[in-house]
Amino acid sequence: MGKGYNSAIAANPYIVGSFACIGGGLFGLDISSMSGVLSNDAYKTVFAFPGPNAQGAIVASMPAGSLVGSLAVTYLADKIGRKKVIILSGIVWVIGSTLQAAAQNRGMLVVGRVISGMSVGLASTTVPLYQAEITAPSIRGRMVSLQQWSITWGILIQYFIQFGCSYINGTASFRIPWALQMIPAIILSLGMTIFPESPRWLIDHGREPEALEILADLHGGGDQNAELVQLEYEEIKQQVYFEKTEGAKSFADLLKPGIFRRVVLGTSLQMWSQLTGMNIMMYYIIYVFQGAGLTGRRGNLIADSVQYVLNVAATVPAIIYIDKWGRRPMLLIGLAFMGFWLFLVGGLQGHFGHWGDVDGSRVWVITDHKSITKAIIVFSYLFVCSFAITMGPVSWTYPAEIFPMRVRAKAVALSTAANWTFNFALAWAVPPGLATIAWKTYFIFGTFNFAAFIHVFFMYPETTGRTLEEIEDVFAQGHVFTAWKIPKDVGKRSLTDVKRDNEKYVDEKSSDA
């Protein structure tokens, strides 16, 4: 019987750690599949010229489905494995994209977006989980942060497809981009069939020989006796066996001392990633630049595309250096800058803007102040870059690495569900918000960034460079409200240390029996 995966692929940490990120790209595709059609006349005609509330509902239907998909992972990832859930996400995406491309009315479009959202929920939860469990500690942050980079690529690629198709007359201008987004999902589902399953999931299901073989291919060039292979194998076994003696894996475990603290951290970080205002900049950037005084569809589309290019480019330094810079510094610096840029945008909008009419809609807009318009666009770009190089990658990496094996799938799913809950609420609320309180919206999101800064400073310990099992020791130190006091060498163990602990644990169990 074959291995069920390609050994050569498994031996390359960058291929095995990055391919699943296509699942993140689906999220990006969906974001710009909407932002690129908001000024499309054919789209407006087919879907009955949706107003702020209706457009918010259409956009929010995707994160609503994503919430359902992410919660489904709490069962599916433990039951059928990480790999199969990722394959399933691609299949569901094709169904949703088909319905969107064929949509004849708002109802059909919303159903298609909900189904696509379910796919995004499955993928966005499982991909970081899979990456964290299958990559070496030294590059784990880099690999998981590729999830965010793939999102930025999805946004950029779909937006340029939308841009090009905007010159087509009729409904093909939006149907073609919505149909083309099936291609990466098909590649994802077919490609994942030659990738290995998570060795941690296999050990948890009593398939230790398979897990050791995969670990050897992943981290030892096929050598099962390589030190890193043995270290991870022994650590995972110790953790899994300990957890099996603790009882069944249930949602009640999430409330246990030591675990609940991490649940709060994971869900809060995903919540803050939405409350920074970044996805609003992605969904509704046309409205933002329109209010800044940038008129004309072509000019707005070009300015938007620059932002999406910057989003991709600024994520690269984070991918390269996340395992050197550390999670805490990246979060703190990013949140401080994002709050600053949003307050600048809100201040300029409030001082120089006024209520006016743009394309028949009442909009808070800046007119006859070209320098201010350019300043707001630049500050918006700087905000996007600040997110891309800090919060974006860390918001996916941190929740995927802080939980013990027995609750990891459930806890990561719950964290991602928090992301989608706030994504849904904000996607629906922001268009009416911009139409009523206008520039004050930026102050609200700026304040959220500064609140998140305080939360991270006091409560988020550093996790860089440790195996998933060693992170247990980090949280065992306590320091719930003084996270900066946890020493950097906490949790570091050698293979000898792990084997000694395993032998001690086995002896204790034998004596108890």
Side-chain angles (χ1 to χ4, degrees):
M1 181 178 176
K3 289 184 176 182
Y5 66 92
N6 185 293
S7 298
I9 286 177
N12 189 315
Y14 292 96
I15 294 178
V16 77
S18 62
F19 183 82
C21 285
I22 294 175
L26 302 182
F27 178 17
L29 289 170
D30 202 282
I31 288 176
S32 52
S33 72
M34 274 286 103
S35 63
V37 301
L38 294 179
S39 60
N40 186 313
D41 292 333
Y43 167 83
K44 292 178 182 178
T45 301
V46 171
F47 300 107
F49 295 90
N53 187 60
Q55 185 57 56
I58 292 171
V59 173
S61 60
M62 189 276 287
S66 300
L67 174 60
V68 176
S70 62
L71 290 175
V73 173
T74 60
Y75 172 78
L76 291 175
D78 282 335
K79 184 67 176 178
I80 66 175
R82 289 40 165 157
K83 173 179 170 178
K84 290 180 180 178
V85 174
I86 296 172
I87 293 172
L88 176 63
S89 71
I91 297 171
V92 175
W93 177 266
V94 171
I95 297 171
S97 296
T98 301
L99 289 172
Q100 289 182 69
Q104 300 298 313
N105 51 54
R106 291 183 193 175
M108 189 172 177
L109 176 60
V110 166
V111 170
R113 285 182 59 77
V114 168
I115 293 174
S116 290
M118 292 173 65
S119 165
V120 172
L122 292 170
S124 64
T125 304
T126 312
V127 169
L129 179 66
Y130 177 78
Q131 290 172 310
E133 292 185 346
I134 210 163
T135 54
S138 60
I139 61 168
R140 185 177 62 242
R142 183 178 300 174
M143 290 295 98
V144 179
S145 65
L146 285 173
Q147 163 88 343
Q148 176 63 24
W149 201 39
S150 67
I151 293 173
T152 67
W153 272 109
I155 294 171
L156 180 66
I157 291 169
Q158 178 69 309
Y159 192 82
F160 276 122
I161 292 173
Q162 293 273 5
F163 194 175
C165 290
S166 68
Y167 292 96
I168 300 174
N169 292 324
T171 61
S173 61
F174 63 85
R175 296 195 191 280
I176 290 175
W178 289 353
L180 289 176
Q181 64 186 2
M182 297 181 213
I183 296 174
I186 295 170
I187 294 172
L188 175 66
S189 291
L190 292 177
M192 280 301 296
T193 59
I194 59 173
F195 280 75
E197 179 56 88
S198 161
R200 286 171 169 83
W201 182 83
L202 290 170
I203 290 177
D204 193 41
H205 286 72
R207 295 160 64 177
E208 294 179 12
E210 293 176 65
L212 180 58
E213 187 174 34
I214 289 174
L215 283 171
D217 286 336
L218 289 170
H219 305 147
D223 180 9
Q224 296 187 4
N225 295 313
E227 184 171 357
L228 178 58
V229 173
Q230 285 295 315
L231 174 62
E232 287 209 278
Y233 182 62
E234 295 294 335
E235 280 191 324
I236 296 168
K237 282 200 304 179
Q238 180 183 355
Q239 188 69 28
V240 168
Y241 294 160
F242 171 75
E243 290 170 354
K244 284 184 180 297
T245 66
E246 295 293 298
K249 296 175 287 187
S250 68
F251 281 101
D253 289 334
L254 300 178
L255 302 177
K256 290 184 176 179
I259 303 298
F260 183 69
R261 170 191 175 188
R262 285 177 265 183
V263 171
V264 172
L265 295 180
T267 53
S268 295
L269 188 60
Q270 287 281 21
M271 173 192 75
W272 290 127
S273 74
Q274 292 302 310
L275 293 178
T276 61
M278 176 59 175
N279 275 341
I280 303 311
M281 286 291 191
M282 296 292 103
Y283 284 132
Y284 300 121
I285 189 61
I286 283 181
Y287 295 161
V288 173
F289 286 170
Q290 188 182 69
L294 184 64
T295 56
R297 188 174 79 173
R298 179 176 172 79
N300 209 317
L301 286 172
I302 292 173
D304 298 350
S305 67
V306 171
Q307 172 163 287
Y308 293 139
V309 170
L310 289 172
N311 192 25
V312 172
T315 306
V316 175
I319 294 170
I320 297 172
Y321 295 111
I322 186 172
D323 291 308
K324 294 181 179 179
W325 291 344
R327 298 3 170 193
R328 274 177 61 85
M330 291 176 70
L331 288 173
L332 292 172
I333 292 170
L335 288 165
F337 272 109
M338 285 187 286
F340 176 70
W341 302 129
L342 287 178
F343 268 84
L344 280 178
V345 171
L348 292 174
Q349 284 271 16
H351 184 73
F352 293 98
H354 59 87
W355 288 111
D357 184 276
V358 177
D359 296 333
S361 301
R362 181 173 178 265
V363 175
W364 183 272
V365 64
I366 293 174
T367 54
D368 302 322
H369 290 286
K370 291 185 178 179
S371 61
I372 300 301
T373 296
K374 292 178 181 177
I376 289 175
I377 292 172
V378 169
F379 293 149
S380 298
Y381 289 162
L382 290 171
F383 169 84
V384 168
C385 289
S386 298
F387 180 93
I389 203 170
T390 59
M391 170 65 89
V394 179
S395 66
W396 294 108
T397 304
Y398 200 85
E401 64 187 4
I402 61 174
F403 298 108
M405 177 69 200
R406 74 178 182 276
V407 298
R408 188 171 295 135
K410 289 181 172 61
V412 172
L414 197 62
S415 298
T416 309
N419 178 303
W420 293 116
T421 299
F422 282 87
N423 191 314
F424 166 76
L426 295 175
W428 197 330
V430 165
L434 291 173
T436 52
I437 62 174
W439 53 274
K440 297 176 185 176
T441 305
Y442 300 102
F443 287 162
I444 293 173
F445 286 109
T447 301
F448 283 141
N449 279 283
F450 291 129
F453 177 94
I454 295 171
H455 189 191
V456 170
F457 180 79
F458 285 102
M459 298 186 68
Y460 282 75
E462 186 58 73
T463 57
T464 301
R466 299 173 174 90
T467 67
L468 297 180
E469 287 67 36
E470 288 169 351
I471 290 173
E472 290 297 299
D473 292 335
V474 172
F475 285 95
Q477 299 297 305
H479 295 297
V480 176
F481 299 106
T482 53
W484 66 87
K485 290 186 177 181
I486 299 175
K488 292 184 178 180
D489 60 349
V490 167
K492 297 291 186 179
R493 295 191 293 173
S494 66
L495 177 58
T496 302
D497 295 332
V498 174
K499 286 187 173 180
R500 185 184 63 244
D501 290 342
N502 277 349
E503 291 170 0
K504 181 180 178 182
Y505 177 73
V506 171
D507 290 342
E508 288 176 352
K509 283 297 170 186
S510 298
S511 61
D512 290 343

